[in-house]
Amino acid sequence: MKKTFLALTIASITSFGTWANDKQLAVSEHGFSFGEGQRVQLIHTTGENRAFAGTPEGQSDVRIHKDLRNLGASQGEAVLKIDDNVYKIFGYGLTSPVVFVGETGLVVMDPGESTEHGAETEKVFRDVTGIDLPVTGIIYSHNHFDHLAGVKGWVTPEDVAAGKVEIYAHSTLTAAVANWASNVGTILGHRTTYTAATYAGTGAGVHGSVTDGLGPQVQLGEVGFIPPTVEFDDVIKVSNGGLDFELHYVPSETDDEIVMWLPDQKILHAAEVLQGENFPNLHTIRGTKARDAEVWYKGIDYMRNTFHDVEIMLVAHGRPVEGNWEVMDVLTAYRDGIQFVHDQSVRAINDGLTPFEMIEVVKLPEHLETHPWLLQRYGTVSHAVQQQFSNYIGFFHGDPWQLEPMAHAQRAEEYVRMMGGRDNIVNAARSYIKNGDFTYAAEILTYPIRVDNDDTEARELKAQAYTEWGYKQSNINWRNWAMTAAGELRGDLDYHQKIDFTSTDVLKNLPTEMVMDMMTVKLKAEDTIGVNYVVNIHFTDIEQAYSFEIRNGIVEVQHFSKPEPKLEIKMTRSLLEDLLAGGGDAAMAKAAKAGEFGLTTGTAEDMANFIAKFEEPKDGSEIPMIVR
């Protein structure tokens, strides 16, 4: 599919030349859009701001970089009306749902990051507009939780099942959701919580997140999911609720990204192909699969060509852009920024530079660095170029010590010894902090802390280094990691404030085969060397069968029964959902009494031994990122 997309792009793209720079991109008079602000109207604002509480009059706060203060100040709660039928619910969370009003129904693109956020924005829409039409369509622009987890705040699973609501998505979305929901769900949720600084407290301004870059602050709550009902590969024309629109596949930030086009109104919802008013995360430090910069900027080229007469551009994160010149200016600058970093990174790679050397030489030219949609408040060139090295070359910098380094703990002990001992490192770190060399102070303090995790003096000093460094950051991800790292070092994080990627609701709504396939990464391989047997599971209510063959350290899952199993289980899909929700032995006992669970081969002891071969991932509080 990606080859098809790129071939179409190359075949159809026109030459745009140098985009005329005869005028300046400007914010509208009402402050909630770029351009003249005629078709994009501000119809409601509360005066509240979840991103930034503001700085007391007459004071400056050196703890917050001015670029983050400016971004946070622009993210106040508001409802924007575009023409007479499009509404953007802005500033109530990380993602801004957009409601398209048809003659008989509403279509919502990106319903938000939690059930609670979805319900709140739905209520705001109803209260402000007075429109009581039912929601008849939901669009998931891509698989990230903040673009789909609020779906149950807008619609019910029952209405979707009854055909009253269609949910549109790319054909690969559900598989991508399964990946972040289980395979690496725990660690991704944990790292994302560092990125959002919610462990560190959500108070605006200092220790928490002054803004989350893409939006004011992520709204924690239930991560919900209802599977798509309409999936497509390239382009689909849709009529829903009396509204005609097109959905186009534009791989970019994710491989399943889609955008929405209203040809009659020349309105483009560009989803997260553009990550708001920020340089994009060509690599995200929270962790994702590799992002292809060439695919990304060619995806923007596809939009520039296909929607060349666009007049309004909406995005999931950030303010709308009004005017053809304005939209094309943003699109051109954004794709140029991505291509520049990609091409110059490749050039540096071919010159033999290592990632840390690359960040010293690959810098955006001034016209891109200062563009209002490329300020490095979310992504940065620094961590983007390191990902380009990894994408093209891999982890190995070329120095063979990397291939078989000294053991983790032993290396720390040797560093401490060579650096003159623990006290020498601590004293040196104090000097570096005094001189403003915060990251080097933090780096050298890593080793005494690694030798002794309970070294409170070294931990407090490293926390101080990260706090002072964090205050100076214009990039919210860097700032938030610094503040959360400081909290971990001081031992005052609140691990209840977690972004939960391993959402029970998501798992319950995934296809059974995806849930079964997830079990392979939970196998305790060390306990299964020399073990060889088959377990079959029959789901009697959906007439599906699966086999698990444990074989010398791996488990192979097949979507059918295998002969001569050691253990054969009959159960229902509804019991599986109860178990995913934490029902445990009580759920199995209830199902057994109702005839919905039992063993046709093997014993209860065999089943217990089989279950014991798998483990659940650790909770975030059990996974130190800094003190280890």
Side-chain angles (χ1 to χ4, degrees), residues 115 140 142-143 148-152 157 167 169 173-178 180-181 222-228 231 503-511 514:
T115 300
Y140 296 152
H142 61 290
N143 72 84
L148 54 79
V151 62
K152 291 185 176 179
I167 300 180
L173 176 134
T174 301
V177 170
W180 62 248
E222 179 191 47
V223 175
F225 182 59
I226 304 175
E231 298 177 324
S503 164
T504 298
D505 191 71
V506 174
L507 294 175
K508 287 170 61 176
N509 283 286
L510 291 175
M514 290 185 181

PDB file of all heavy atoms in Angstrom, residues 115 140 142-143 148-152 157 167 169 173-178 180-181 222-228 231 503-511 514:
ATOM      1  N   THR A 115     -12.869   8.838  27.576  1.00  0.00           N
ATOM      2  CA  THR A 115     -14.332   8.896  27.571  1.00  0.00           C
ATOM      3  C   THR A 115     -14.819  10.189  28.208  1.00  0.00           C
ATOM      4  O   THR A 115     -15.747  10.843  27.712  1.00  0.00           O
ATOM      5  CB  THR A 115     -14.913   7.682  28.311  1.00  0.00           C
ATOM      6  OG1 THR A 115     -14.487   6.482  27.645  1.00  0.00           O
ATOM      7  CG2 THR A 115     -16.427   7.724  28.344  1.00  0.00           C
ATOM      8  N   TYR A 140     -11.712   8.098  12.932  1.00  0.00           N
ATOM      9  CA  TYR A 140     -10.429   7.980  13.617  1.00  0.00           C
ATOM     10  C   TYR A 140      -9.349   8.363  12.606  1.00  0.00           C
ATOM     11  O   TYR A 140      -9.086   7.626  11.652  1.00  0.00           O
ATOM     12  CB  TYR A 140     -10.161   6.548  14.063  1.00  0.00           C
ATOM     13  CG  TYR A 140     -11.096   5.960  15.089  1.00  0.00           C
ATOM     14  CD1 TYR A 140     -11.313   4.571  15.109  1.00  0.00           C
ATOM     15  CD2 TYR A 140     -11.731   6.721  16.053  1.00  0.00           C
ATOM     16  CE1 TYR A 140     -12.136   3.979  16.058  1.00  0.00           C
ATOM     17  CE2 TYR A 140     -12.562   6.146  17.002  1.00  0.00           C
ATOM     18  CZ  TYR A 140     -12.763   4.772  16.998  1.00  0.00           C
ATOM     19  OH  TYR A 140     -13.584   4.183  17.942  1.00  0.00           O
ATOM     20  N   HIS A 142      -6.157   8.385  13.048  1.00  0.00           N
ATOM     21  CA  HIS A 142      -5.075   7.396  13.152  1.00  0.00           C
ATOM     22  C   HIS A 142      -5.176   6.725  14.513  1.00  0.00           C
ATOM     23  O   HIS A 142      -6.077   7.012  15.308  1.00  0.00           O
ATOM     24  CB  HIS A 142      -3.705   8.027  12.917  1.00  0.00           C
ATOM     25  CG  HIS A 142      -3.314   9.108  13.878  1.00  0.00           C
ATOM     26  ND1 HIS A 142      -3.920  10.344  13.903  1.00  0.00           N
ATOM     27  CD2 HIS A 142      -2.354   9.154  14.853  1.00  0.00           C
ATOM     28  CE1 HIS A 142      -3.367  11.102  14.833  1.00  0.00           C
ATOM     29  NE2 HIS A 142      -2.409  10.393  15.434  1.00  0.00           N
ATOM     30  N   ASN A 143      -4.243   5.835  14.794  1.00  0.00           N
ATOM     31  CA  ASN A 143      -4.404   4.916  15.923  1.00  0.00           C
ATOM     32  C   ASN A 143      -4.030   5.463  17.282  1.00  0.00           C
ATOM     33  O   ASN A 143      -4.288   4.790  18.286  1.00  0.00           O
ATOM     34  CB  ASN A 143      -3.583   3.641  15.669  1.00  0.00           C
ATOM     35  CG  ASN A 143      -2.086   3.881  15.787  1.00  0.00           C
ATOM     36  OD1 ASN A 143      -1.509   3.855  16.878  1.00  0.00           O
ATOM     37  ND2 ASN A 143      -1.432   4.120  14.665  1.00  0.00           N
ATOM     38  N   LEU A 148      -8.811   8.612  19.495  1.00  0.00           N
ATOM     39  CA  LEU A 148      -9.935   7.674  19.435  1.00  0.00           C
ATOM     40  C   LEU A 148     -10.509   7.285  20.792  1.00  0.00           C
ATOM     41  O   LEU A 148     -11.641   6.799  20.879  1.00  0.00           O
ATOM     42  CB  LEU A 148      -9.535   6.406  18.661  1.00  0.00           C
ATOM     43  CG  LEU A 148      -8.279   5.623  19.088  1.00  0.00           C
ATOM     44  CD1 LEU A 148      -8.514   4.748  20.286  1.00  0.00           C
ATOM     45  CD2 LEU A 148      -7.776   4.776  17.922  1.00  0.00           C
ATOM     46  N   ALA A 149      -9.751   7.500  21.873  1.00  0.00           N
ATOM     47  CA  ALA A 149     -10.164   6.981  23.182  1.00  0.00           C
ATOM     48  C   ALA A 149     -11.391   7.659  23.749  1.00  0.00           C
ATOM     49  O   ALA A 149     -12.022   7.156  24.682  1.00  0.00           O
ATOM     50  CB  ALA A 149      -9.003   7.089  24.182  1.00  0.00           C
ATOM     51  N   GLY A 150     -11.798   8.811  23.196  1.00  0.00           N
ATOM     52  CA  GLY A 150     -12.989   9.505  23.682  1.00  0.00           C
ATOM     53  C   GLY A 150     -14.266   9.117  22.972  1.00  0.00           C
ATOM     54  O   GLY A 150     -15.317   9.728  23.198  1.00  0.00           O
ATOM     55  N   VAL A 151     -14.202   8.072  22.133  1.00  0.00           N
ATOM     56  CA  VAL A 151     -15.349   7.734  21.290  1.00  0.00           C
ATOM     57  C   VAL A 151     -16.622   7.467  22.089  1.00  0.00           C
ATOM     58  O   VAL A 151     -17.728   7.850  21.687  1.00  0.00           O
ATOM     59  CB  VAL A 151     -15.006   6.533  20.370  1.00  0.00           C
ATOM     60  CG1 VAL A 151     -14.678   5.288  21.184  1.00  0.00           C
ATOM     61  CG2 VAL A 151     -16.130   6.263  19.387  1.00  0.00           C
ATOM     62  N   LYS A 152     -16.499   6.839  23.268  1.00  0.00           N
ATOM     63  CA  LYS A 152     -17.693   6.497  24.044  1.00  0.00           C
ATOM     64  C   LYS A 152     -18.298   7.703  24.754  1.00  0.00           C
ATOM     65  O   LYS A 152     -19.371   7.591  25.342  1.00  0.00           O
ATOM     66  CB  LYS A 152     -17.368   5.382  25.039  1.00  0.00           C
ATOM     67  CG  LYS A 152     -17.098   4.041  24.348  1.00  0.00           C
ATOM     68  CD  LYS A 152     -16.902   2.915  25.324  1.00  0.00           C
ATOM     69  CE  LYS A 152     -16.726   1.595  24.594  1.00  0.00           C
ATOM     70  NZ  LYS A 152     -16.515   0.455  25.516  1.00  0.00           N
ATOM     71  N   PRO A 157     -21.597   1.897  22.126  1.00  0.00           N
ATOM     72  CA  PRO A 157     -21.363   0.682  21.337  1.00  0.00           C
ATOM     73  C   PRO A 157     -22.661   0.101  20.779  1.00  0.00           C
ATOM     74  O   PRO A 157     -22.669  -0.474  19.684  1.00  0.00           O
ATOM     75  CB  PRO A 157     -20.717  -0.273  22.350  1.00  0.00           C
ATOM     76  CG  PRO A 157     -20.131   0.614  23.402  1.00  0.00           C
ATOM     77  CD  PRO A 157     -21.037   1.787  23.485  1.00  0.00           C
ATOM     78  N   ILE A 167     -18.157   4.097  11.934  1.00  0.00           N
ATOM     79  CA  ILE A 167     -16.842   4.546  12.382  1.00  0.00           C
ATOM     80  C   ILE A 167     -15.848   4.261  11.263  1.00  0.00           C
ATOM     81  O   ILE A 167     -15.681   3.115  10.841  1.00  0.00           O
ATOM     82  CB  ILE A 167     -16.407   3.850  13.684  1.00  0.00           C
ATOM     83  CG1 ILE A 167     -17.414   4.157  14.804  1.00  0.00           C
ATOM     84  CG2 ILE A 167     -15.001   4.294  14.079  1.00  0.00           C
ATOM     85  CD1 ILE A 167     -17.066   3.521  16.134  1.00  0.00           C
ATOM     86  N   ALA A 169     -12.023   4.394   9.417  1.00  0.00           N
ATOM     87  CA  ALA A 169     -10.593   4.345   9.731  1.00  0.00           C
ATOM     88  C   ALA A 169      -9.849   3.651   8.603  1.00  0.00           C
ATOM     89  O   ALA A 169     -10.453   2.954   7.771  1.00  0.00           O
ATOM     90  CB  ALA A 169     -10.346   3.604  11.045  1.00  0.00           C
ATOM     91  N   LEU A 173      -5.591   0.347  11.059  1.00  0.00           N
ATOM     92  CA  LEU A 173      -5.672   1.003  12.370  1.00  0.00           C
ATOM     93  C   LEU A 173      -5.808   0.013  13.521  1.00  0.00           C
ATOM     94  O   LEU A 173      -5.113   0.120  14.542  1.00  0.00           O
ATOM     95  CB  LEU A 173      -6.827   2.008  12.397  1.00  0.00           C
ATOM     96  CG  LEU A 173      -7.069   2.680  13.754  1.00  0.00           C
ATOM     97  CD1 LEU A 173      -7.258   4.184  13.603  1.00  0.00           C
ATOM     98  CD2 LEU A 173      -8.291   2.096  14.480  1.00  0.00           C
ATOM     99  N   THR A 174      -6.698  -0.963  13.420  1.00  0.00           N
ATOM    100  CA  THR A 174      -6.966  -1.845  14.557  1.00  0.00           C
ATOM    101  C   THR A 174      -5.719  -2.629  14.952  1.00  0.00           C
ATOM    102  O   THR A 174      -5.436  -2.808  16.146  1.00  0.00           O
ATOM    103  CB  THR A 174      -8.125  -2.807  14.229  1.00  0.00           C
ATOM    104  OG1 THR A 174      -9.287  -2.032  13.923  1.00  0.00           O
ATOM    105  CG2 THR A 174      -8.438  -3.694  15.424  1.00  0.00           C
ATOM    106  N   ALA A 175      -4.941  -3.075  13.969  1.00  0.00           N
ATOM    107  CA  ALA A 175      -3.699  -3.787  14.285  1.00  0.00           C
ATOM    108  C   ALA A 175      -2.714  -2.881  15.014  1.00  0.00           C
ATOM    109  O   ALA A 175      -1.994  -3.316  15.919  1.00  0.00           O
ATOM    110  CB  ALA A 175      -3.066  -4.340  13.011  1.00  0.00           C
ATOM    111  N   ALA A 176      -2.677  -1.603  14.637  1.00  0.00           N
ATOM    112  CA  ALA A 176      -1.793  -0.656  15.315  1.00  0.00           C
ATOM    113  C   ALA A 176      -2.249  -0.410  16.746  1.00  0.00           C
ATOM    114  O   ALA A 176      -1.425  -0.291  17.664  1.00  0.00           O
ATOM    115  CB  ALA A 176      -1.740   0.656  14.531  1.00  0.00           C
ATOM    116  N   VAL A 177      -3.561  -0.336  16.956  1.00  0.00           N
ATOM    117  CA  VAL A 177      -4.090  -0.193  18.317  1.00  0.00           C
ATOM    118  C   VAL A 177      -3.698  -1.403  19.155  1.00  0.00           C
ATOM    119  O   VAL A 177      -3.289  -1.270  20.318  1.00  0.00           O
ATOM    120  CB  VAL A 177      -5.621  -0.031  18.291  1.00  0.00           C
ATOM    121  CG1 VAL A 177      -6.202  -0.122  19.702  1.00  0.00           C
ATOM    122  CG2 VAL A 177      -6.001   1.309  17.667  1.00  0.00           C
ATOM    123  N   ALA A 178      -3.800  -2.596  18.573  1.00  0.00           N
ATOM    124  CA  ALA A 178      -3.434  -3.811  19.307  1.00  0.00           C
ATOM    125  C   ALA A 178      -1.978  -3.771  19.749  1.00  0.00           C
ATOM    126  O   ALA A 178      -1.636  -4.224  20.844  1.00  0.00           O
ATOM    127  CB  ALA A 178      -3.693  -5.039  18.430  1.00  0.00           C
ATOM    128  N   TRP A 180      -0.067  -1.058  20.527  1.00  0.00           N
ATOM    129  CA  TRP A 180       0.200  -0.217  21.696  1.00  0.00           C
ATOM    130  C   TRP A 180      -0.634  -0.604  22.906  1.00  0.00           C
ATOM    131  O   TRP A 180      -0.309  -0.265  24.044  1.00  0.00           O
ATOM    132  CB  TRP A 180       0.080   1.264  21.388  1.00  0.00           C
ATOM    133  CG  TRP A 180      -1.226   1.862  20.939  1.00  0.00           C
ATOM    134  CD1 TRP A 180      -1.490   2.369  19.706  1.00  0.00           C
ATOM    135  CD2 TRP A 180      -2.423   2.080  21.703  1.00  0.00           C
ATOM    136  NE1 TRP A 180      -2.769   2.873  19.639  1.00  0.00           N
ATOM    137  CE2 TRP A 180      -3.373   2.710  20.859  1.00  0.00           C
ATOM    138  CE3 TRP A 180      -2.801   1.805  23.015  1.00  0.00           C
ATOM    139  CZ2 TRP A 180      -4.651   3.074  21.278  1.00  0.00           C
ATOM    140  CZ3 TRP A 180      -4.084   2.163  23.440  1.00  0.00           C
ATOM    141  CH2 TRP A 180      -4.984   2.781  22.575  1.00  0.00           C
ATOM    142  N   ALA A 181      -1.716  -1.349  22.682  1.00  0.00           N
ATOM    143  CA  ALA A 181      -2.569  -1.726  23.803  1.00  0.00           C
ATOM    144  C   ALA A 181      -2.008  -2.895  24.596  1.00  0.00           C
ATOM    145  O   ALA A 181      -2.342  -3.062  25.763  1.00  0.00           O
ATOM    146  CB  ALA A 181      -3.968  -2.089  23.304  1.00  0.00           C
ATOM    147  N   GLU A 222     -10.875   7.131  31.145  1.00  0.00           N
ATOM    148  CA  GLU A 222     -11.003   5.826  30.507  1.00  0.00           C
ATOM    149  C   GLU A 222     -10.549   5.899  29.056  1.00  0.00           C
ATOM    150  O   GLU A 222     -11.004   6.746  28.286  1.00  0.00           O
ATOM    151  CB  GLU A 222     -12.462   5.360  30.543  1.00  0.00           C
ATOM    152  CG  GLU A 222     -12.659   4.013  29.863  1.00  0.00           C
ATOM    153  CD  GLU A 222     -14.108   3.657  29.643  1.00  0.00           C
ATOM    154  OE1 GLU A 222     -14.869   4.518  29.157  1.00  0.00           O
ATOM    155  OE2 GLU A 222     -14.486   2.512  29.945  1.00  0.00           O
ATOM    156  N   VAL A 223      -9.637   5.008  28.693  1.00  0.00           N
ATOM    157  CA  VAL A 223      -9.213   4.887  27.299  1.00  0.00           C
ATOM    158  C   VAL A 223     -10.168   3.907  26.628  1.00  0.00           C
ATOM    159  O   VAL A 223     -10.061   2.690  26.792  1.00  0.00           O
ATOM    160  CB  VAL A 223      -7.754   4.404  27.200  1.00  0.00           C
ATOM    161  CG1 VAL A 223      -7.357   4.162  25.748  1.00  0.00           C
ATOM    162  CG2 VAL A 223      -6.816   5.434  27.835  1.00  0.00           C
ATOM    163  N   GLY A 224     -11.139   4.430  25.917  1.00  0.00           N
ATOM    164  CA  GLY A 224     -12.168   3.607  25.299  1.00  0.00           C
ATOM    165  C   GLY A 224     -11.836   3.270  23.853  1.00  0.00           C
ATOM    166  O   GLY A 224     -10.960   3.886  23.235  1.00  0.00           O
ATOM    167  N   PHE A 225     -12.562   2.321  23.306  1.00  0.00           N
ATOM    168  CA  PHE A 225     -12.358   1.939  21.905  1.00  0.00           C
ATOM    169  C   PHE A 225     -13.585   1.198  21.401  1.00  0.00           C
ATOM    170  O   PHE A 225     -14.125   0.331  22.094  1.00  0.00           O
ATOM    171  CB  PHE A 225     -11.127   1.040  21.761  1.00  0.00           C
ATOM    172  CG  PHE A 225     -10.820   0.629  20.342  1.00  0.00           C
ATOM    173  CD1 PHE A 225     -10.573   1.580  19.368  1.00  0.00           C
ATOM    174  CD2 PHE A 225     -10.765  -0.716  19.988  1.00  0.00           C
ATOM    175  CE1 PHE A 225     -10.276   1.213  18.061  1.00  0.00           C
ATOM    176  CE2 PHE A 225     -10.471  -1.099  18.689  1.00  0.00           C
ATOM    177  CZ  PHE A 225     -10.227  -0.129  17.721  1.00  0.00           C
ATOM    178  N   ILE A 226     -14.035   1.581  20.230  1.00  0.00           N
ATOM    179  CA  ILE A 226     -15.042   0.832  19.488  1.00  0.00           C
ATOM    180  C   ILE A 226     -14.438   0.569  18.119  1.00  0.00           C
ATOM    181  O   ILE A 226     -13.993   1.505  17.446  1.00  0.00           O
ATOM    182  CB  ILE A 226     -16.364   1.615  19.346  1.00  0.00           C
ATOM    183  CG1 ILE A 226     -16.913   2.018  20.724  1.00  0.00           C
ATOM    184  CG2 ILE A 226     -17.395   0.785  18.595  1.00  0.00           C
ATOM    185  CD1 ILE A 226     -18.160   2.892  20.657  1.00  0.00           C
ATOM    186  N   PRO A 227     -14.370  -0.676  17.668  1.00  0.00           N
ATOM    187  CA  PRO A 227     -13.708  -0.976  16.396  1.00  0.00           C
ATOM    188  C   PRO A 227     -14.375  -0.267  15.223  1.00  0.00           C
ATOM    189  O   PRO A 227     -15.582   0.003  15.234  1.00  0.00           O
ATOM    190  CB  PRO A 227     -13.865  -2.494  16.272  1.00  0.00           C
ATOM    191  CG  PRO A 227     -14.057  -2.977  17.664  1.00  0.00           C
ATOM    192  CD  PRO A 227     -14.826  -1.894  18.361  1.00  0.00           C
ATOM    193  N   PRO A 228     -13.588   0.067  14.202  1.00  0.00           N
ATOM    194  CA  PRO A 228     -14.157   0.698  13.005  1.00  0.00           C
ATOM    195  C   PRO A 228     -15.185  -0.209  12.332  1.00  0.00           C
ATOM    196  O   PRO A 228     -15.075  -1.436  12.374  1.00  0.00           O
ATOM    197  CB  PRO A 228     -12.940   0.898  12.087  1.00  0.00           C
ATOM    198  CG  PRO A 228     -11.748   0.792  12.985  1.00  0.00           C
ATOM    199  CD  PRO A 228     -12.133  -0.113  14.108  1.00  0.00           C
ATOM    200  N   GLU A 231     -13.669   0.417   6.817  1.00  0.00           N
ATOM    201  CA  GLU A 231     -12.228   0.541   6.639  1.00  0.00           C
ATOM    202  C   GLU A 231     -11.911   0.687   5.154  1.00  0.00           C
ATOM    203  O   GLU A 231     -12.647   0.180   4.297  1.00  0.00           O
ATOM    204  CB  GLU A 231     -11.507  -0.680   7.212  1.00  0.00           C
ATOM    205  CG  GLU A 231     -11.710  -0.852   8.712  1.00  0.00           C
ATOM    206  CD  GLU A 231     -11.039  -2.108   9.253  1.00  0.00           C
ATOM    207  OE1 GLU A 231     -11.038  -3.122   8.517  1.00  0.00           O
ATOM    208  OE2 GLU A 231     -10.529  -2.079  10.374  1.00  0.00           O
ATOM    209  N   SER A 503      -5.381  -0.386  28.257  1.00  0.00           N
ATOM    210  CA  SER A 503      -6.774  -0.196  28.632  1.00  0.00           C
ATOM    211  C   SER A 503      -7.594  -1.459  28.446  1.00  0.00           C
ATOM    212  O   SER A 503      -7.574  -2.086  27.385  1.00  0.00           O
ATOM    213  CB  SER A 503      -7.375   0.921  27.772  1.00  0.00           C
ATOM    214  OG  SER A 503      -8.777   0.909  27.821  1.00  0.00           O
ATOM    215  N   THR A 504      -8.319  -1.849  29.488  1.00  0.00           N
ATOM    216  CA  THR A 504      -9.192  -3.021  29.412  1.00  0.00           C
ATOM    217  C   THR A 504     -10.231  -2.857  28.321  1.00  0.00           C
ATOM    218  O   THR A 504     -10.536  -3.798  27.587  1.00  0.00           O
ATOM    219  CB  THR A 504      -9.880  -3.245  30.769  1.00  0.00           C
ATOM    220  OG1 THR A 504      -8.881  -3.507  31.753  1.00  0.00           O
ATOM    221  CG2 THR A 504     -10.847  -4.416  30.694  1.00  0.00           C
ATOM    222  N   ASP A 505     -10.760  -1.639  28.192  1.00  0.00           N
ATOM    223  CA  ASP A 505     -11.798  -1.413  27.194  1.00  0.00           C
ATOM    224  C   ASP A 505     -11.264  -1.627  25.790  1.00  0.00           C
ATOM    225  O   ASP A 505     -11.951  -2.175  24.924  1.00  0.00           O
ATOM    226  CB  ASP A 505     -12.359  -0.001  27.332  1.00  0.00           C
ATOM    227  CG  ASP A 505     -13.622   0.193  26.496  1.00  0.00           C
ATOM    228  OD1 ASP A 505     -14.661  -0.366  26.863  1.00  0.00           O
ATOM    229  OD2 ASP A 505     -13.539   0.875  25.467  1.00  0.00           O
ATOM    230  N   VAL A 506     -10.037  -1.202  25.538  1.00  0.00           N
ATOM    231  CA  VAL A 506      -9.441  -1.419  24.219  1.00  0.00           C
ATOM    232  C   VAL A 506      -9.254  -2.904  23.964  1.00  0.00           C
ATOM    233  O   VAL A 506      -9.629  -3.425  22.905  1.00  0.00           O
ATOM    234  CB  VAL A 506      -8.100  -0.675  24.097  1.00  0.00           C
ATOM    235  CG1 VAL A 506      -7.412  -1.018  22.785  1.00  0.00           C
ATOM    236  CG2 VAL A 506      -8.317   0.837  24.193  1.00  0.00           C
ATOM    237  N   LEU A 507      -8.671  -3.619  24.931  1.00  0.00           N
ATOM    238  CA  LEU A 507      -8.429  -5.054  24.760  1.00  0.00           C
ATOM    239  C   LEU A 507      -9.731  -5.813  24.511  1.00  0.00           C
ATOM    240  O   LEU A 507      -9.796  -6.719  23.670  1.00  0.00           O
ATOM    241  CB  LEU A 507      -7.716  -5.616  25.991  1.00  0.00           C
ATOM    242  CG  LEU A 507      -6.300  -5.096  26.243  1.00  0.00           C
ATOM    243  CD1 LEU A 507      -5.761  -5.648  27.562  1.00  0.00           C
ATOM    244  CD2 LEU A 507      -5.367  -5.477  25.102  1.00  0.00           C
ATOM    245  N   LYS A 508     -10.779  -5.454  25.241  1.00  0.00           N
ATOM    246  CA  LYS A 508     -12.070  -6.136  25.098  1.00  0.00           C
ATOM    247  C   LYS A 508     -12.670  -5.942  23.707  1.00  0.00           C
ATOM    248  O   LYS A 508     -13.476  -6.762  23.258  1.00  0.00           O
ATOM    249  CB  LYS A 508     -13.048  -5.631  26.154  1.00  0.00           C
ATOM    250  CG  LYS A 508     -12.754  -6.120  27.560  1.00  0.00           C
ATOM    251  CD  LYS A 508     -13.598  -5.403  28.599  1.00  0.00           C
ATOM    252  CE  LYS A 508     -15.076  -5.614  28.385  1.00  0.00           C
ATOM    253  NZ  LYS A 508     -15.878  -4.971  29.465  1.00  0.00           N
ATOM    254  N   ASN A 509     -12.292  -4.876  23.044  1.00  0.00           N
ATOM    255  CA  ASN A 509     -12.892  -4.576  21.750  1.00  0.00           C
ATOM    256  C   ASN A 509     -12.006  -4.937  20.562  1.00  0.00           C
ATOM    257  O   ASN A 509     -12.359  -4.650  19.420  1.00  0.00           O
ATOM    258  CB  ASN A 509     -13.269  -3.096  21.688  1.00  0.00           C
ATOM    259  CG  ASN A 509     -14.535  -2.798  22.461  1.00  0.00           C
ATOM    260  OD1 ASN A 509     -15.634  -3.125  22.022  1.00  0.00           O
ATOM    261  ND2 ASN A 509     -14.382  -2.208  23.639  1.00  0.00           N
ATOM    262  N   LEU A 510     -10.868  -5.565  20.840  1.00  0.00           N
ATOM    263  CA  LEU A 510     -10.017  -6.029  19.751  1.00  0.00           C
ATOM    264  C   LEU A 510     -10.487  -7.388  19.250  1.00  0.00           C
ATOM    265  O   LEU A 510     -11.076  -8.172  20.001  1.00  0.00           O
ATOM    266  CB  LEU A 510      -8.564  -6.143  20.228  1.00  0.00           C
ATOM    267  CG  LEU A 510      -7.848  -4.834  20.537  1.00  0.00           C
ATOM    268  CD1 LEU A 510      -6.467  -5.122  21.119  1.00  0.00           C
ATOM    269  CD2 LEU A 510      -7.732  -3.953  19.291  1.00  0.00           C
ATOM    270  N   PRO A 511     -10.232  -7.720  17.984  1.00  0.00           N
ATOM    271  CA  PRO A 511     -10.557  -9.057  17.483  1.00  0.00           C
ATOM    272  C   PRO A 511      -9.862 -10.144  18.307  1.00  0.00           C
ATOM    273  O   PRO A 511      -8.738  -9.948  18.789  1.00  0.00           O
ATOM    274  CB  PRO A 511     -10.024  -9.028  16.044  1.00  0.00           C
ATOM    275  CG  PRO A 511     -10.018  -7.583  15.667  1.00  0.00           C
ATOM    276  CD  PRO A 511      -9.684  -6.848  16.941  1.00  0.00           C
ATOM    277  N   MET A 514      -6.235 -11.105  17.573  1.00  0.00           N
ATOM    278  CA  MET A 514      -5.204 -10.171  18.020  1.00  0.00           C
ATOM    279  C   MET A 514      -4.902 -10.366  19.498  1.00  0.00           C
ATOM    280  O   MET A 514      -3.746 -10.296  19.921  1.00  0.00           O
ATOM    281  CB  MET A 514      -5.638  -8.733  17.743  1.00  0.00           C
ATOM    282  CG  MET A 514      -5.663  -8.369  16.279  1.00  0.00           C
ATOM    283  SD  MET A 514      -6.037  -6.620  16.038  1.00  0.00           S
ATOM    284  CE  MET A 514      -6.025  -6.544  14.238  1.00  0.00           C
TER     285      MET A 514
END
